[in-house]
Amino acid sequence: MPKNRFSRINHIARFSVLLTCASATHGMELDTGNNDLIIRWDNTVRYNLGVRAEARDTALANNATYDESDYKFDRGDVVTNRLDLLSEFELAYKRDHGFRVSAAGWYDQAYADSDVETNPGNVFYPGAPSGPSTPSYAGGRYSPHTDRYHNGPSGELLDAFAFTRFYAGDAPVSLRAGRHTLYWGNGLLIPGHATSYSQAPLDGRKAVTNPGTETREIFLPLTQVSGQVQLTDRLSVAAQYFLEWEPTRAAEGGTYLASADVALEGPEQLPVAPGFAFPITDPVEPDDTGNWGVMARYGFDFLHSDISVFYREFDDYIPWGLQTGPGFARYVYAENTKLYGLSWSAGPVLGGASVGVDLSYRKDAALASSGFNPTTDEGARGDTWHLVANSLWLLPSTKFFDTGVLITEVAYSHLDRVTENQELFRGEGYDGCQNQDKDWGCATRNYAGVAVNFTPQWLTVMPGLNVSAPMSISYGVSGNAAAGGGNEDDYNFKVGIEGVFDERYELSLSYIGYGSDAIKRDVPNVGNTVVGGNGSIGIADRDWVSLSFSTAF
């Protein structure tokens, strides 16, 4: 297998090796007495303490869509007091056959009080009278789902798959079966526009808690069968077929970092007026089977590059929206979207950078919608283009730091056409967004966004101690993406300092913030209130400070 075949993967691995200086890496390899049989059992314990650093914005606190999450904690309150355990077990015979299992457990004392907090004088919609708030949870207490994932103690199975590698003639073949993830393409920081979009559900709780987390790290495993064949020294093909479907996760309504009070699986009712709510019924979800994809990659000597082509069919893991009807509300998920993708990567080039580009076309994608067709239970659909380009730099030593990593990524999307339920499309110039524009949350034909991760490092500050300063920012430069994935002036950022001692003990302190410059409008008879639907509206006043410690054994 030529080295250029995995040039970008190897280059990314260099960054991974560097960054292990900022994470706990020790584990335990069990002595089996057989050199062909390898058994590893790794455990990581993490404690995180978070404190709210920003006061409430009245535009959020006075709005029935956002008040529960805003009122749960005051400025200076502990918003997370969480202990996590990750356990990973792997058995391999001759490194070619075996299985892997991982599981997570958690407990967060900050949510020991399961009461839902509401603002008694909030506003339900522009022009409506204020009045007693009806919580999104029956009885004003968290549902079992929200209590499990935000308080605990609880846990879950993550990876659970068997793997094998063998030769079919001269062609190496690798297969996996069970719960695992695959990540195709070159997208790193902006998942809504990468070729890997909806290749797995996302852990939105992890993403919002830790801005700058790479997309592959927030993929959630699903049961599937996947394989790859190296047909020649330059050409490989791969495929996957899913046997399970689960929705993307989000911080549940009424918890600190929830985007809205009715997000996503936990809340039980939709408040529509003081003292009145619709029950949230079972969502309209796809079947477990039907998602699949194929990929081919070819390596070139030129610039140590490779080019890949993809075709995927998938049911979306992110909900289309909340459908309301006579006496009910429910989330709806779009099915049968097709994706055609092309990616190119090269590296190291341009003074040591690894670069990557994803270009994809989605056919019959779910678009931002103002409602649902009562006959089909579907919103607007359309065809969209998506482009992601990024670079990864291993930084040289300077007088300011010893080394470091810089990752930059830009994303662009374009609405080609609206193909179904055009009257429901919530876009500028369409009936679903009459007399409003992008500042009110209406989708635009074009969207552009940017994300940057910068992590300078200082090695051996004292014996056994390495220090880094991870910084990240993601910003919506222009427009509101028609198929989701970003809004103009939305942003999140993180600034931190981390120390790793003996490559085993990690201590970090971070300031994390979110915002949107276009979330408030003066509405007659209401005043300054929140309108529209931009992604960071609901947490625009939730800046917080995080202190974290972890170790591995």
Side-chain angles (χ1 to χ4, degrees):
M1 186 178 299
K3 65 180 181 180
N4 71 322
R5 165 64 181 78
F6 286 117
S7 58
R8 181 171 169 84
I9 295 175
N10 288 332
H11 198 60
I12 292 174
R14 293 173 58 198
F15 293 98
S16 300
V17 170
L18 176 70
L19 291 176
T20 55
C21 295
S23 62
T25 57
H26 284 217
M28 179 170 58
E29 184 168 319
L30 305 180
D31 185 6
T32 64
N34 183 344
N35 292 334
D36 290 332
L37 183 63
I38 299 174
I39 299 177
R40 285 193 60 86
W41 185 26
D42 302 322
N43 295 278
T44 302
V45 175
R46 178 178 296 274
Y47 171 71
N48 189 26
L49 178 69
V51 176
R52 181 168 185 164
E54 191 174 8
R56 296 187 185 99
D57 187 319
T58 55
L60 292 166
N62 294 343
N63 190 292
T65 302
Y66 310 101
D67 69 311
E68 293 173 24
S69 298
D70 216 9
Y71 263 78
K72 182 67 177 178
F73 301 101
D74 294 321
R75 183 179 184 181
D77 284 352
V78 172
V79 299
T80 185
N81 186 15
R82 184 178 176 107
L83 185 67
D84 285 276
L85 170 65
L86 174 65
S87 186
E88 304 167 278
F89 180 86
E90 183 169 328
L91 181 151
Y93 178 69
K94 292 187 176 181
R95 301 185 183 275
D96 290 328
H97 319 283
F99 64 89
R100 171 183 167 80
V101 177
S102 64
W106 60 84
Y107 174 71
D108 194 337
Q109 187 274 335
Y111 288 95
D113 177 6
S114 62
D115 288 343
V116 178
E117 303 292 336
T118 61
N119 179 359
N122 61 25
V123 176
F124 282 80
Y125 53 87
S130 61
S133 180
T134 302
S136 57
Y137 292 88
R141 295 180 66 85
Y142 288 145
S143 65
H145 179 93
T146 298
D147 188 67
R148 174 193 173 191
Y149 283 100
H150 289 270
N151 176 218
S154 190
E156 65 180 339
L157 182 68
L158 298 173
D159 291 327
F161 65 88
F163 63 88
T164 184
R165 289 186 284 265
F166 58 91
Y167 280 85
D170 294 329
V173 178
S174 62
L175 298 174
R176 288 183 180 183
R179 289 175 57 86
H180 64 282
T181 62
L182 281 184
Y183 186 90
W184 291 347
N186 297 306
L188 293 175
L189 301 177
I190 309 176
H193 304 284
T195 299
S196 60
Y197 175 79
S198 222
Q199 197 172 3
L202 303 181
D203 187 345
R205 302 187 194 103
K206 181 177 181 180
V208 73
T209 302
N210 191 19
T213 302
E214 291 190 28
T215 302
R216 70 187 70 232
E217 296 178 35
I218 59 175
F219 268 30
L220 291 169
L222 290 180
T223 304
Q224 59 184 293
V225 178
S226 67
Q228 178 172 304
V229 181
Q230 190 72 34
L231 295 176
T232 71
D233 61 350
R234 295 181 181 272
L235 176 64
S236 66
V237 295
Q240 65 177 159
Y241 185 84
F242 288 85
L243 301 170
E244 182 182 16
W245 183 96
E246 291 289 340
T248 279
R249 295 177 181 175
E252 310 299 337
T255 64
Y256 184 60
L257 293 177
S259 59
D261 292 344
V262 294
L264 184 58
E265 291 188 89
E268 299 160 313
Q269 55 191 25
L270 171 66
V272 294
F276 183 70
F278 288 162
I280 297 178
T281 60
D282 291 340
V284 180
E285 293 181 341
D287 296 330
D288 282 330
T289 59
N291 286 10
W292 63 278
V294 292
M295 176 191 73
R297 179 185 287 125
Y298 191 85
F300 298 90
D301 292 328
F302 175 70
L303 295 179
H304 304 287
S305 63
D306 62 56
I307 190 169
S308 302
V309 293
F310 313 88
Y311 177 77
R312 294 176 41 228
E313 294 187 6
F314 61 86
D315 303 325
D316 215 320
Y317 300 109
I318 299 174
W320 214 323
L322 189 63
Q323 180 188 27
T324 59
F328 77 91
R330 62 184 180 183
Y331 281 101
V332 178
Y333 293 81
E335 301 182 44
N336 302 321
T337 297
K338 300 175 177 59
L339 184 147
Y340 305 83
L342 177 69
S343 71
W344 174 79
S345 64
V349 297
L350 300 175
S354 172
V355 296
V357 179
D358 276 3
L359 176 65
S360 58
Y361 184 76
R362 298 180 201 164
K363 185 173 177 57
D364 296 327
L367 302 181
S369 300
S370 60
F372 289 84
N373 185 312
T375 302
T376 62
D377 292 327
E378 291 199 345
R381 285 185 181 266
D383 301 337
T384 57
W385 288 95
H386 302 265
L387 176 69
V388 167
N390 54 47
S391 64
L392 298 88
W393 300 80
L394 180 60
L395 301 177
S397 177
T398 72
K399 64 180 180 179
F400 301 106
F401 49 77
D402 294 331
T403 184
V405 175
L406 175 64
I407 305 175
T408 63
E409 183 161 282
V410 295
Y412 170 79
S413 70
H414 172 74
L415 173 62
D416 184 16
R417 58 177 181 159
V418 182
T419 56
E420 295 181 34
N421 298 321
Q422 180 172 305
E423 72 283 0
L424 299 175
F425 176 48
R426 195 168 186 272
E428 286 187 331
Y430 288 81
D431 291 343
C433 223
Q434 282 187 346
N435 302 319
Q436 295 180 343
D437 59 17
K438 63 181 181 180
D439 291 338
W440 293 74
C442 301
T444 55
R445 189 163 291 275
N446 299 293
Y447 167 79
V450 61
V452 178
N453 282 11
F454 173 50
T455 307
Q457 282 193 304
W458 299 268
L459 305 178
T460 318
V461 174
M462 56 182 292
L465 177 64
N466 298 317
V467 176
S468 62
M471 293 170 272
S472 69
I473 186 168
S474 178
Y475 184 73
V477 176
S478 176
N480 299 325
N487 297 276
E488 185 171 319
D489 292 326
D490 271 16
Y491 61 89
N492 61 64
F493 66 91
K494 175 182 176 181
V495 179
I497 186 77
E498 295 183 355
V500 177
F501 181 71
D502 195 27
E503 296 185 2
R504 183 173 183 179
Y505 304 100
E506 175 188 337
L507 181 67
S508 64
L509 178 66
S510 304
Y511 186 95
I512 301 167
Y514 321 86
S516 176
D517 291 342
I519 67 168
K520 291 175 282 187
R521 291 291 175 271
D522 289 327
V523 179
N525 303 319
V526 175
N528 203 22
T529 189
V530 177
V531 297
N534 291 1
S536 293
I537 284 180
I539 55 175
D541 62 354
R542 305 299 157 73
D543 289 14
W544 61 296
V545 177
S546 169
L547 178 66
S548 177
F549 172 78
S550 67
T551 186
F553 58 92

